[in-house]
Amino acid sequence: MKINTSKLIRKVTESCSSPNGLKKIWASPDSIDHLKGEYFSFGKLRILKQKRLSSMVTGTDLKKQEMAKSPKAPVLVQKEFANLQYSTSQNDYLKPPPPPVTEAGEENEDDSQQQQEETTPLSLTIPTFDNVQTLPTPMTYTPLSPAGLSLSPIKDQKQPDQPLQIKKKRAHGSPRIGGGLDSVLLESQQRVISELIPAPSFQQQRVVSLPTVNEEPIPSFEPDIIPKEFAHTNIDTFDNHAESTLVGYPLQHLDKAHVLRWKKVKKIGEGNFSDVLLYESLDQTDPKMMQIAVKRIKYPVEVTDITFRGTPQYNDTLSRLESSLTRELGVLKLLDYPCIVKLYGINNPIFVQSKTPLRDLLAKNPALPPCDMIMSYCSGGDLLAAISRCLGELDIWLIQRLFTELVMAVNYLHDNNIIHRDLKLENILLKYPLEHIIALKDSPVFTSLNMIELADFGLCKQIQPGELCTARCGSEDYVSPEILMGVPYDGHLTDTWALGVILYSILEDRLPFDPPPNATSRQRNRATSHRIARFDWHWFRLANTELDAKEIVANTLTRKNQRWDIKQIMESIFVKTEMESLTF
Ligand SMILES: Nc1ncnc2c1ncn2[C@@H]1O[C@H](COP(=O)(O)OP(=O)(O)OP(=O)(O)O)[C@@H](O)[C@H]1O
């Protein structure tokens, strides 16, 4: 029997978007299971499973708990919007959605009846544009957390009277797993900018496709190549070792004769899946590697906690983690472009040599050693933090320069049949602090040096020309309507959509699909996905300003059949004129 969950979905949606706190919704365990792929990741949602009855609890109590745990996200102060003009001419809209479809066999909310309900087989409906009759369900993702099930705040907790801000920096300590099996399904803790990642045990809910990428063949693991001291070291040794000194292998020479050593300086960043640390060379060899950024993978609790061993969560998590890791490393090894972060080396060759590095390591040792990716260091940090620090006041020449480099990086990826799928402000790294970049403006080297590096290839994919993707992944504010709809999508065009979101955000100092500055409380309570699906964005600060950049936003934050691809963005006046001045 097919379960009808539409009523429950509506209730959860209302509850999740309610600013006033706790609400309980009772439903059968199967209904909950059915919803998990959609809703488990809602920041305010917790699922309490009982034997025959489940409840979902949403509310501010959970938010508060998590907010107390998470460091504050950088706040980007907004300008006054009191006299803003409202411009709609450049936008197109979907027609208002018809009322939600009522399916036969609707669930009864009555508790007593719920208790009677026995297991009902789940059915999977893959929506297409033909049969989508309601707006897509708001989605966030719940990546797997080594810290367990704590939930983080998510943006719709904003109170109506709060100043606008691009605040959606990741929640520290809320790691994700992404990219695995092209469906990246891990659960339990979410980041503030979320990925649309269903939980691992709910893959029947979601379009799950195995990777169709033509991955570069990775040579099979040769045990001899791993230095003895690493191949049989336990995790404590690695941890102590990693605290102070890092031993790494340059990608070109994965043998013991070429090991390099670095000393830890400090932590410089944190993602959902990794800690990023600055190290300085102890060998004084290659100047490029004097200072390096080390991306240390955070292993989810499901693979580190021995009590999970042998459980479906363990197996699922392990394979997704492994898939994500090998994908990111496999792609990074191939890339060589000024505006893209470089992978210089690795702390253990097995991570780049084996197709199943984690399983191989676990076969030798019960605990996983750290995985440290040795990467180029960008001393300016990420663009979101930089913009936040300067209160969103970037000169247009600088916006033009940074965005042009980003477009060139994405063009390089697309030319090489790679889609990024997680383009966002946090993944754009500045090679130098913003003030240094500004000071360099009139220097002769300004046009010969790249100022950004694109990072975080955990969700990228190598694709065949014309291939469509099905994995619903990305970050909530940057995700395109077709991904929200769950239909197969062209990854090139979802990348250019994200470029539109990025450019708009830098220009307007706000994310395009946040509630508008003059929003009514009803608008404020609407999910971001609702506005995305309706292409509901407007110019505010720049409503009356003529700017070449605006045509890029207008032609990317639009329907996929009208959306510019990367070549068209490169042909725009804003990008083309800047590109012509660059010499790298
Ligand atoms: N090479 C680098 N140089 C300087 N800072 C970096 C570098 N790489 C990453 N960072 C910092 O660390 C943060 C997290 O890095 P990254 O996005 O690669 O991790 P992640 O775990 O994949 O994150 P996410 O949660 O977005 O998937 C970045 O936003 C940035 O601030």
Side-chain angles (χ1 to χ4, degrees), residues 523-542:
Q523 284 174 315
R524 254 174 226 291
N525 287 336
R526 243 180 222 149
T528 298
S529 54
H530 211 86
R531 282 183 287 273
I532 294 174
R534 298 167 70 98
F535 304 91
D536 186 4
W537 63 272
H538 310 276
W539 294 110
F540 294 99
R541 194 153 95 165
L542 298 177

Side-chain angles (χ1 to χ4, degrees), residues 169-170 176 191 195 268-274 276 293 295 328 341 375-379 381-382 422 424 426-427 429 453 455-456:
K169 183 70 178 173
R170 59 184 52 77
R176 114 201 140 176
R191 52 187 193 183
E195 283 143 23
I268 49 173
E270 182 174 2
N272 291 299
F273 313 103
S274 62
V276 182
K295 181 167 172 171
E328 180 164 14
V341 76
M375 316 188 67
S376 50
Y377 169 55
C378 294
S379 59
D382 67 75
D422 202 13
K424 58 183 177 182
E426 296 99 310
N427 289 337
L429 305 178
E453 284 188 4
D456 195 355

Side-chain angles (χ1 to χ4, degrees), residues 202-426:
F202 320 128
Q203 56 273 56
Q204 71 271 33
Q205 304 300 326
R206 199 43 93 206
V207 181
V208 176
S209 66
L210 290 168
T212 49
V213 290
N214 281 344
E215 303 277 0
E216 188 197 45
I218 301 169
S220 58
F221 168 50
E222 300 161 43
D224 288 351
I225 208 156
I226 299 180
K228 275 196 191 110
E229 73 268 25
F230 281 4
H232 302 289
T233 315
N234 68 29
I235 195 152
D236 289 342
T237 315
F238 271 96
D239 270 354
N240 294 336
H241 186 73
E243 266 317 300
S244 52
T245 309
L246 169 73
V247 177
Y249 296 77
L251 281 189
Q252 300 76 10
H253 305 288
L254 293 168
D255 59 80
K256 209 175 166 188
H258 291 90
V259 291
L260 295 172
R261 287 175 177 76
W262 291 269
K263 191 174 170 2
K264 183 175 159 187
V265 179
K266 61 177 178 179
K267 183 170 169 176
I268 49 173
E270 182 174 2
N272 291 299
F273 313 103
S274 62
D275 286 328
V276 182
L277 308 144
L278 172 63
Y279 277 76
E280 275 175 2
S281 173
L282 291 171
D283 300 298
Q284 310 295 316
T285 51
D286 187 342
K288 278 195 315 234
M289 292 199 254
M290 293 293 283
Q291 287 192 312
I292 51 155
V294 173
K295 181 167 172 171
R296 179 164 301 157
I297 300 303
K298 290 179 190 169
Y299 292 125
V301 68
E302 281 80 351
V303 294
T304 55
D305 184 339
I306 198 98
T307 58
F308 281 97
R309 288 291 149 90
T311 64
Q313 291 110 300
Y314 170 78
N315 291 328
D316 256 7
T317 306
L318 188 64
S319 50
R320 293 178 207 294
L321 175 64
E322 193 154 66
S323 171
S324 167
L325 192 63
T326 49
R327 178 185 301 208
E328 180 164 14
L329 286 167
V331 167
L332 278 172
K333 273 197 312 185
L334 302 176
L335 302 177
D336 181 18
Y337 192 73
C339 306
I340 293 179
V341 76
K342 275 149 216 62
L343 178 70
Y344 291 144
I346 193 82
N347 65 327
N348 188 332
I350 195 169
F351 289 116
V352 288
Q353 291 182 318
S354 170
K355 281 180 182 162
T356 54
L358 302 184
R359 283 167 210 277
D360 293 347
L361 286 161
L362 285 166
K364 291 193 168 78
N365 198 305
L368 279 174
C371 173
D372 287 343
M373 304 181 192
I374 297 169
M375 316 188 67
S376 50
Y377 169 55
C378 294
S379 59
D382 67 75
L383 188 53
L384 178 63
I387 295 177
S388 303
R389 278 195 300 275
C390 72
L391 306 182
E393 297 204 340
L394 289 190
D395 284 344
I396 192 69
W397 65 264
L398 187 53
I399 296 175
Q400 187 171 11
R401 172 61 182 267
L402 301 178
F403 185 74
T404 297
E405 288 193 28
L406 176 63
V407 169
M408 290 163 74
V410 175
N411 180 57
Y412 169 82
L413 293 178
H414 288 190
D415 277 351
N416 286 285
N417 296 320
I418 293 166
I419 49 172
H420 188 280
R421 298 199 293 189
D422 202 13
L423 296 172
K424 58 183 177 182
L425 290 167
E426 296 99 310

